[in-house]
Amino acid sequence: METAELESKVHGLETALAVQEANMAGAHSGTWSVMAVGAGALIVGIFLGMAIAKS
């Protein structure tokens, strides 16, 4: 293989790795958002259930 060809392949792999890391970071932040919304809904549901039980 020639040097230019190897450099091209390495650049392609670096780009693919950067894209994969960005996707993983986005997935993690999305996961935290979903968990926060779910926790909020759970808390609201608990208080709503207690209010209904008292009435």
Side-chain angles (χ1 to χ4, degrees), residues 21-49:
E21 288 175 352
N23 285 336
M24 288 175 64
H28 285 296
S29 65
T31 300
W32 282 106
S33 298
V34 169
M35 288 194 312
V37 169
L42 177 64
I43 291 169
V44 169
I46 289 171
F47 283 108
L48 183 61

Side-chain angles (χ1 to χ4, degrees), residues 10 15 38 40 42:
V10 167
T15 303
L42 177 64

Side-chain angles (χ1 to χ4, degrees), residues 1-29:
M1 282 188 177
E2 293 184 19
T3 303
E5 187 179 352
L6 286 174
E7 288 177 355
S8 175
K9 286 188 176 190
V10 167
H11 179 69
L13 289 172
E14 288 174 340
T15 303
L17 183 59
V19 169
Q20 183 180 10
E21 288 175 352
N23 285 336
M24 288 175 64
H28 285 296
S29 65

